[in-house]
Amino acid sequence: MNTVAILLSAFVLSFVALLVFIWSQRTGLFDRSSRGAEVIFAPQEIGRIEEPAATRAAQGSLQSAADDAAGGTGWQPDADELVARARADASTGPLVFFFFCCAVVWLLVASAAGLTASIKLHEPDWLTQQAWLTFGRIRTIHLNAVAYGWAPMAGLGTAMFVIPRLLKTPLLGARFAFAGAVMWNAALIAGLGSIGAGISDGLEWLEIPWQIDTLFAIGGALIALPLVFTLVNRRVEHLYVSVWYMACALFWLPVLFVVAKMPGIHQGVQQAAMNWWFGHNVLGLFYTPLALASVYYFLPKVIGRPIQSYNLSLLGFWGLAFFYGQVGGHHLIGGPVPEWMITLSIVQSMMMIIPVAAFTVNQFQTLQGRLSALRFSPTLRFIGVGGLMYTASSVQGSLEALRSVNAVTHFTHYTVAHAHLGLYGFVSFVFFGAMYFVMPRITVREWPFPWLITAHFWLVSGGFALYFVSLTTAGWLQGQAMLDAARPFMESVAVTLPYLKGRSIGGALMVLGHLAFALHFILLVLNFGPQRNKPALFRELFARRLAP
C-alpha cells in the first residue's frame, strides 16, 4: 500500500464514520430528545441541586438560584430511587476512599518532586549531592507520580463512585479492585525507586522498566473487573454518556499500555513513533475520558439540570474516539519519520476541534442562566474551570500541531506549558472538584473548613496561571532565539531564566494549594474540626450502611 492510500484510508474512515454518526442522529436512529440526559436524576428530581461540598447556607443559595432559573420549585424525587443511590454509594465507599487516599499521597509526592525539578532549572547546583535528586531523575519521578499515581487514582476512584450510581446497581467485586489498587501502588513505588536508582527504559511516559509494568497490567485488569461485573448486572437500559467515556477509558488504556511496553518489538524510529503514540493517547484516551465523564455527571447534578444537548455529548465522545488516535505524531515534526504520518497527525489534530466544540457549546448552554452557581458550589468552581481548560488546551494543541507554529514551539518550554494545561488545568481541576463532591458522600460528613476549599482553589488557580504564562512566554522566546542563526545557543537559555523563576513561584503556590487540600482531606477523615453535620467515625467508613 502506498503512502497516499495509507493517509486517505486512516482519515477518510474516521471522517465518514463521524458523518454516518451525525446522519444517524438526524434521522432518528438515536433518540434526539433530552431523555437520555435525564437518567442521572431520579423521577421528579430535576431542579434539585446536589452539592455536598457546600455549606448549608451555600446549598440554600444554590437551590434558590436553580429555582429562579427554572421558574419555581416542585421537585419531589422518588424515595426508592434515592435509597438505591445511597446503597450504590455505600457499596463503593471503602474502595473509593482507598483510591482517594492513594491519590492524595501521590499528589504530594509529585508536587515535591515537581517543585524541586523546577527550581533546578534556574538553580542547577541546588541539591546535587544525591544522584536521585539530579534533574533527570527527579523530573522523571514527578512525571510518573502524576501519570501513574495522582491522576489514575483520582480518576479511577471517581469512576468507581459514578458508575454504580449511573447503573443504579451496587458495585460488585470490590475486592478485586482493592487487590488491583494495592498491586498498582506497589508497582509505582517500585517504579519510582528504580528511576531514582538510575534504572529506566529511557522513553518519556514509559520510563518504568517493563518487568515492573507487568504489575501495572495485572493491577489494572483487577481494577476493571468490578466495573465490568456491575455493567453486566446493571438495572438500567440506557447507558449515560459518562458510562461510555469511563468504560472506553478502561478499554483503551490496556491496549495502549500493552502495545507500548511489549519488550523487543519497537526499535529505532518506530520506537520514537510508538513513544508519542502512547504519550499523547494516554492523555487523550484515558485521563481525558475520565475527566469528561466526571464533568458530564457532576455539572448537571450540582445545578439540578440535565445537559442541554445529549446529542452533542455523544458527538463529543465519538469525535474523540474517531480522531484522537493519531494526533501524537505532530511531536515528531522534523524527525526521520514518514511525511504522510506527520500530515495525518496534523489533520487529525485539527479535526479534534469538532468534539471540543461540541463539549464547549454543551457546557455553556447547560450553565446558561445558572452561572451564579459558581459562587456557591466548590465542586462546580473546580469542574467549570477544568472544562474551560479542556477547551483551551485542545485548541492550543490543534494549533501547535501546525508546522508553522511547531517550528517555533518544538523543543521549548512552550510544549511543557501546554502539557500542564491539559493534565493539570483540565484533568486535575476536574478531579479536585469530583473529590470535593464524593468525599462527603462516603464519609457521611461535610468538609469541616470551607475556607480551606476557597484557599485551595485560589492558590492552585493563581499559581497555575503564573506557571502557564511564564512557561508559555519563555518557550516562545526560546524558540525564536533558536531559530535565529545569528544568536548563540546560550542566549536561548538565558532569555528563559526570569520566566523559569516565575514558573517556580507559580509552582510553589500550587504546592501550597495541594498542602491545603491534603490537610483538609485528613481533617475530614479523622473527624477533626467543626461538627457541621452528623460525624462519621473513621471505622464507619468501612461499614456497609446507607448514607442519611
Side-chain angles (χ1 to χ4, degrees), residues 158-168 227 230 243 246-247:
T158 302
M160 294 289 177
F161 176 83
V162 169
I163 288 183
R165 272 190 162 209
L166 292 175
L167 302 181
K168 301 179 182 179
L227 299 179
T230 307
V243 179
M246 289 177 169

Side-chain angles (χ1 to χ4, degrees), residues 387-415:
L388 289 175
M389 294 303 101
Y390 172 65
T391 302
S393 64
S394 299
V395 172
Q396 185 191 39
S398 295
L399 296 177
E400 193 177 348
L402 299 174
R403 287 184 173 89
S404 56
V405 178
N406 196 274
V408 180
T409 62
H410 205 38
F411 299 124
T412 71
H413 295 292
Y414 188 98
T415 304

Side-chain angles (χ1 to χ4, degrees), residues 430-495:
V430 170
F431 290 163
F432 284 138
M435 292 174 72
Y436 277 122
F437 183 102
V438 173
M439 281 300 293
R441 285 289 179 255
I442 63 176
T443 62
V444 202
R445 184 173 180 239
E446 295 176 340
W447 293 91
F449 297 103
W451 66 269
L452 277 175
I453 302 179
T454 302
H456 175 209
F457 176 79
W458 289 111
L459 282 170
V460 295
S461 298
F464 181 68
L466 178 58
Y467 181 102
F468 178 76
V469 171
S470 297
L471 272 191
T472 300
T473 305
W476 193 264
L477 296 176
Q478 181 187 18
Q480 290 181 321
M482 286 195 294
L483 287 175
D484 189 347
R487 301 167 70 178
F489 176 77
M490 284 307 298
E491 189 172 331
S492 70
V493 177
V495 73

Side-chain angles (χ1 to χ4, degrees), residues 69-364:
T73 59
W75 41 265
Q76 294 180 343
D78 182 273
D80 292 338
E81 189 148 339
L82 294 184
V83 170
R85 183 185 301 163
R87 287 200 178 98
D89 291 352
S91 72
T92 62
L95 180 61
V96 173
F97 174 74
F98 181 74
F99 272 99
F100 283 176
C101 286
C102 295
V104 172
V105 170
W106 291 121
L107 175 66
L108 296 181
V109 171
S111 300
L115 183 58
T116 302
S118 177
I119 295 173
K120 281 177 172 290
L121 287 174
H122 51 84
E123 298 291 340
D125 294 328
W126 182 57
L127 296 180
T128 57
Q129 292 78 13
Q130 301 294 327
W132 71 275
L133 289 173
T134 55
F135 178 82
R137 297 190 190 180
I138 198 68
R139 189 263 176 191
T140 306
I141 289 174
H142 162 69
L143 170 63
N144 283 269
V146 172
Y148 299 103
W150 153 247
M153 289 295 102
L156 291 171
T158 302
M160 294 289 177
F161 176 83
V162 169
I163 288 183
R165 272 190 162 209
L166 292 175
L167 302 181
K168 301 179 182 179
T169 306
L171 188 71
L172 303 176
R175 294 180 180 179
F176 291 104
F178 264 119
V182 170
M183 189 173 296
W184 183 290
N185 283 277
L188 183 54
I189 293 171
L192 297 184
S194 69
I195 292 171
I199 304 171
S200 167
D201 280 353
L203 297 172
E204 191 167 7
W205 290 86
L206 296 167
E207 292 92 349
I208 295 177
W210 67 267
Q211 294 88 343
I212 297 175
D213 283 328
T214 56
L215 294 177
F216 281 116
I218 298 173
L222 290 174
I223 291 171
L225 283 178
L227 299 179
V228 174
F229 295 155
T230 307
L231 184 64
V232 171
N233 292 277
R234 67 186 185 274
R235 298 175 183 171
V236 297
E237 294 184 5
H238 177 78
L239 295 180
Y240 184 65
V241 66
S242 293
V243 179
W244 282 88
Y245 273 116
M246 289 177 169
C248 286
L250 294 173
F251 169 76
W252 285 325
L253 178 63
V255 173
L256 295 171
F257 196 74
V258 171
V259 171
K261 293 300 295 188
M262 192 72 69
I265 293 182
H266 312 289
Q267 304 292 333
V269 173
Q270 183 194 62
Q271 190 179 61
M274 176 281 302
N275 189 185
W276 280 110
W277 170 81
F278 175 84
H280 224 291
N281 284 347
V282 75
L283 173 62
L285 298 180
F286 180 59
Y287 305 126
T288 294
L290 289 177
L292 289 177
S294 301
V295 174
Y296 275 120
Y297 180 77
F298 292 112
L299 187 150
K301 287 297 291 181
V302 168
I303 64 176
R305 178 188 189 184
I307 54 175
Q308 186 69 17
S309 173
Y310 196 63
N311 276 351
L312 279 180
S313 71
L314 296 177
L315 176 62
F317 170 79
W318 288 109
L320 181 75
F322 289 147
F323 294 126
Y324 202 94
Q326 301 296 329
V327 301
H330 69 250
H331 285 277
L332 300 172
I333 292 177
V337 294
E339 192 71 11
W340 65 262
M341 191 178 77
I342 300 298
T343 301
L344 172 62
S345 175
I346 294 172
V347 173
Q348 299 283 68
S349 298
M350 296 306 297
M351 294 302 293
M352 272 300 297
I353 293 176
I354 293 176
V356 171
F359 168 81
T360 305
V361 170
N362 214 1
Q363 184 184 35
F364 172 77

